[in-house]
Amino acid sequence: MIEHDAPTEEKPRSLLSALGRGWRRRCPRCGQGSIFDGYLKVHPRCGTCHLELHHHRADDAPPYFTIMIVGHIIIGGMLWLETEAHPPAWVHMSLWLPLTLILTLALLPLVKGALIGWQWALRMHGFESSASDV
Ligand SMILES: [Zn+2]
């Protein structure tokens, strides 16, 4: 007698959808519940669909990607401004330092949310299939 151990079919998860929902700081599965309890602290589970969010392992990746994004914007802007206008150093300091701080603080939760969405879509770190995966 042959036993049929059919592989469990897992519902595919859209990477782009999960990234977008995470970027908007929403649950990667339902897109309704908030991921964060505050600025960067992640809710243990989604308040809407009850997806367990504590599995995420964003660790140092959000600051890494945020620094990369902000660095490209700021350095590109600095080089462009210097090439086009040759402003004095105080103009650079008063423009780029606050802009760096504002961009970093604004982008960090968005990047962290997107990375959590990425981990969920790729079934990483405990985000494999779950009973609540409908
Ligand atoms: Zn949810």
Side-chain angles (χ1 to χ4, degrees), residues 42-121:
V42 177
H43 280 295
R45 61 180 55 227
C46 173
T48 303
C49 72
H50 308 292
L51 171 68
E52 293 182 357
L53 296 166
H54 61 85
H55 298 299
H56 84 90
R57 293 291 177 265
D59 300 331
D60 293 340
Y64 173 81
F65 286 109
T66 301
I67 288 169
M68 189 176 69
I69 293 167
V70 172
H72 279 83
I73 293 169
I74 297 298
I75 298 299
M78 286 176 67
L79 292 173
W80 175 81
L81 184 62
E82 183 60 32
T83 305
E84 295 297 320
H86 305 293
W90 68 267
V91 171
H92 281 293
M93 297 295 277
S94 59
L95 178 64
W96 302 116
L97 287 179
L99 191 57
T100 300
L101 182 65
I102 291 167
L103 278 175
T104 300
L105 293 176
L107 285 177
L108 189 56
L110 311 183
V111 171
K112 184 173 183 176
L115 285 166
I116 292 171
W118 181 342
Q119 292 175 3
W120 175 80

